Amino acid sequence: MEKRRHIAFAGVSVAMVLLTAACGSGKDNTAGSADVQPAGGSQTVGAGASASAGAGAAAGASGGYQAGGGTGAAAGGESGRTGPAKRLAVKENAALGSFVTDSKGWTLYRFDEDTPKPAKSTCNDDCATKWPAVPADDAAATAGIDAGELGSVTRSDGTKQLTLAGWPVYRFAGDTKPGDTKGQGVGGTWNALAPDGKPAGTSAAADDSLQLMVNSNAELGKIIVNGKGMTVYRFDKDSAWPMKTGCLGACLDTWKPVKAVDTTKVAGVDAAKVTSFKRPDGTRQAAFDCWLLYTFTGDKKPGDINGQGVKGTWFAVTDKGKKAGQ
C-alpha cells in the first residue's frame, strides 16, 4: 500500500511539471472562461497604486550610465552640458512627445526622488557628477513654457539650481550630443522634463518592427508595452493555469485583448514566456508567463498607466510577468 501511494504521488508531480511546461511552451492554449463576473465597461479610470522608486532610484542615481551608453566628450565639448540653460526650448519626438531642452539643445531632466513642494534636490556627490544640476541664473522661458513656473532651489552645497514647476532641473552626462535623450527612464526614476514639469512621454519608442517590449516607467519601473508604446495589463480574474479569461462581454469594451505576437518581434522580455490563447470567439490573444495581456481604452498616449489598479484587479505587467507596483 505504501509503495502504491509513493507511485501515485510521483505521478501527480510529473503531471504538474508537464502542465507547467505546457504553459511556457509557445503552443496555443484552449479557450476557457473562469467562473467570475466580467468586469463592467463602466469602470472608473484609476490612478493605480503608487510604487516607490526604491532600489531603482539608487540605480538611477549611482548607475546612470547603464542606460545612457558611453560618457565620452560630447559634441561641442564637456562644457556643453554645464552652465546656465539660457533660453529654454520645447522639442518634440515620437517617443517622448514634448520635452524641454536648454538653448544649445541639450535635454533637461527631472528626478523622481526630488520634491517640487517644497523644491528639494536629492542628487548630490556621485549622482551630481552623472546628473549635473542646471544653474538657476540666466534662464528664460520660451513658447510653451510658463515663465512663472521657473524658479530656483538652494542645493546642499549652497549653489542655486534651476527649477521648473518646482522640480530641480538636470542634464545627463551620458548624452553625447544635443538632442540625445539617453537619460530617459534610467533607474525608473529619471525622465526628460515636459514643459509643465511632469515626466515626458515614455522611454519606449514606438517601433513597428516590435510587438512587445519593455518600458522603464517612472512610477512602476520596468513594464511591458506593445509596439506602439502603450501599457499592457493583466487581470486578477483571469487564470494563468489552466489559462482562462474572466474578461468577457462588456469588459471587452474597456479592456482590449492584445493580439497574439510573433515571438521573434519582442524585446526586453523572455520570448519563451510569450504564448497565445484561443478566446471563446476564436481570436488569439497574447499571454506572458501564462497571463493574458490587454490594453486599456482609458490610456490615451504611450506612457499612460491609467489602468493600473483599476477595481483592484487590473495591473500593468513587469518584465518578469508580475503585477507592477506590488
Side-chain angles (χ1 to χ4, degrees):
M1 177 65 72
E2 187 65 25
K3 183 175 181 180
R4 286 197 296 271
R5 185 180 295 114
H6 284 309
I7 293 172
F9 279 133
V12 170
S13 298
V14 171
M16 289 302 294
V17 169
L18 291 175
L19 285 172
T20 303
C23 180
S25 67
K27 297 181 179 179
D28 294 328
N29 292 280
T30 305
S33 58
D35 185 19
V36 298
Q37 293 296 319
S42 61
Q43 298 180 56
T44 302
V45 176
S50 176
S52 169
S62 61
Y65 289 108
Q66 293 177 357
T71 58
E78 181 66 27
S79 62
R81 289 193 299 268
T82 62
K86 298 188 177 180
R87 189 168 182 80
L88 303 178
V90 178
K91 303 294 185 181
E92 300 272 346
N93 73 27
L96 301 181
S98 299
F99 63 100
V100 181
T101 70
D102 65 15
S103 62
K104 295 182 179 179
W106 293 96
T107 301
L108 302 180
Y109 297 90
R110 49 164 275 171
F111 184 33
D112 284 351
E113 290 296 287
D114 289 348
T115 58
K117 295 180 182 179
K120 181 180 179 181
S121 171
T122 60
C123 180
N124 301 292
D125 303 321
D126 288 345
C127 174
T129 300
K130 297 176 176 67
W131 302 91
V134 177
D137 58 314
D138 198 9
T142 190
I145 300 174
D146 183 350
E149 295 290 347
L150 296 181
S152 67
V153 62
T154 301
R155 294 176 55 78
S156 61
D157 61 4
T159 59
K160 296 283 188 180
Q161 180 176 3
L162 177 67
T163 61
L164 176 59
W167 288 95
V169 180
Y170 305 84
R171 297 182 181 96
F172 179 47
D175 285 344
T176 55
K177 65 182 182 302
D180 279 353
T181 57
K182 296 176 181 177
Q184 174 72 4
V186 169
T189 56
W190 289 93
N191 292 274
L193 192 62
D196 59 1
K198 295 178 181 178
T202 173
S203 62
D207 186 341
D208 290 339
S209 69
L210 295 176
Q211 296 175 352
L212 284 181
M213 52 189 174
V214 173
N215 169 46
S216 292
N217 180 270
E219 182 179 350
L220 300 177
K222 292 183 178 181
I223 58 174
I224 299 176
V225 299
N226 67 12
K228 295 181 178 179
M230 302 299 290
T231 303
V232 302
Y233 299 89
R234 50 177 276 185
F235 185 33
D236 278 355
K237 293 184 179 180
D238 285 349
S239 170
W241 191 259
M243 293 176 72
K244 294 182 179 181
T245 177
C247 185
L248 303 164
C251 174
L252 297 174
D253 294 335
T254 304
W255 304 91
K256 302 299 183 181
V258 175
K259 293 181 180 179
V261 304
D262 181 344
T263 56
T264 66
K265 296 183 177 181
V266 301
V269 298
D270 184 352
K273 293 184 178 181
V274 178
T275 55
S276 66
F277 169 76
K278 186 176 181 181
R279 294 187 59 82
D281 62 4
T283 60
R284 297 198 178 277
Q285 181 176 1
F288 184 71
D289 199 25
C290 305
W291 286 97
L292 306 184
L293 302 179
Y294 305 81
T295 54
F296 180 47
T297 57
D299 287 342
K300 302 304 181 185
K301 64 181 185 302
D304 281 354
I305 52 170
N306 296 320
Q308 174 70 5
V310 167
K311 295 287 187 179
T313 56
W314 290 93
F315 298 91
V317 184
T318 72
D319 58 333
K320 306 301 182 184
K322 305 300 182 182
K323 294 188 288 188
Q326 299 296 293

